[in-house]
Amino acid sequence: MTQVTSGLRRILSIPAAYDGLQMALGSVRGRERLYRDYIEPQLGDVVVDVGCGTAAILDLLPGDVRYYGFDLSADYIAAAQSRYGSRGQFFCADITSVSADAVPASTTALALGLLHHLDDTGCRHLLQAIHERLAPGGRLITLDGTFVPGQGWASRKLVGADRGRNIRTPEQYAALVPAGFVVVTHLLDDLLRVPYQHCILVCTKTAVADASTHTA
């Protein structure tokens, strides 16, 4: 994982500081929109959330969803366990380097704010492992800051200041997704209270493993 953890960014390793910043930026509203418009869980879904942070998405998921959260930060995982208890299973692990068998089988996989923290090799390993364990018709949803033509100065500056050092264009994010997914790209600049361009990929696993379609 490639990210900046020195200086002021080091504070964000503290769960309370991380959650506080998210609230200040308006991510609660953004998370609700993401949930409503893109995640759309169904009854009985099994959700794997990679890079789950403090697992705040659980505030929105139905109670009957089985949830597995993974994060590299032991502090974030401890905060998630303390807050949500038996509502999910939480693991401090680097899922980008494990075998596919170690990834829980799922119907929905989330990688929200994660890919821009990983290099291309880590992204491809992770997304391939998720694909292998995702049910046919299951969906992978990713969310990351991005650079696009005509982007405002403030948005470009804020996206570039992220702890993750692998900010990509929408096309570069989509190119990391393995064959066997139909990929639809969405661009939003109003998920937060501040100017910030996001790229959302909604990737649906096809029935035929070698079929792949990328659309905008």
Side-chain angles (χ1 to χ4, degrees):
M1 178 171 287
T2 54
Q3 65 177 7
V4 177
T5 58
S6 59
L8 290 175
R9 295 179 179 89
R10 187 172 185 178
I11 298 173
L12 296 178
S13 63
I14 302 170
Y18 172 80
D19 287 340
L21 177 63
Q22 295 301 307
M23 292 186 66
L25 292 174
S27 66
V28 173
R29 181 190 64 184
R31 195 180 300 122
E32 290 172 349
R33 182 176 172 189
L34 186 68
Y35 171 86
R36 180 186 70 243
D37 294 345
Y38 301 101
I39 299 176
E40 302 176 306
Q42 305 298 312
L43 294 177
D45 267 359
V46 180
V47 175
V48 170
D49 187 0
V50 186
C52 66
T54 57
I57 196 67
L58 269 171
D59 289 334
L60 301 173
L61 295 179
D64 67 339
V65 165
R66 279 191 290 156
Y67 176 91
Y68 299 89
F70 292 83
D71 203 279
L72 273 177
S73 169
D75 290 336
Y76 286 177
I77 290 297
Q81 289 173 327
S82 175
R83 182 179 303 171
Y84 298 107
S86 61
R87 285 216 46 206
Q89 296 185 46
F90 308 98
F91 305 91
C92 183
D94 182 1
I95 202 170
T96 66
S97 61
V98 301
S99 66
D101 290 344
V103 180
S106 65
T107 54
T108 300
L110 306 176
L112 308 179
L114 176 65
L115 298 187
H116 67 281
H117 289 274
L118 307 176
D119 63 20
D120 287 359
T121 299
C123 284
R124 290 194 175 97
H125 181 97
L126 167 66
L127 298 180
Q128 184 61 48
I130 288 174
H131 177 269
E132 292 182 23
R133 299 292 287 162
L134 196 62
R139 293 175 309 129
L140 161 68
I141 296 99
T142 74
L143 168 75
D144 292 277
T146 190
F147 295 130
V148 296
Q151 186 172 359
W153 176 87
S155 174
R156 181 169 288 271
K157 192 73 171 177
L158 288 171
V159 170
D162 194 281
R163 287 185 295 169
R165 306 319 298 160
N166 291 287
I167 305 294
R168 300 173 175 88
T169 66
E171 296 77 14
Q172 289 170 330
Y173 284 122
L176 297 169
V177 179
F181 279 114
V182 174
V183 181
V184 179
T185 302
H186 304 268
L187 298 176
L188 298 177
D189 61 5
D190 58 353
L191 278 183
L192 301 177
R193 293 193 180 105
V194 297
Y196 203 96
Q197 186 76 51
H198 284 99
C199 173
I200 298 170
L201 302 182
V202 179
C203 313
T204 304
K205 183 175 177 177
T206 60
V208 180
D210 60 356
S212 179
T213 304
H214 288 67
T215 60

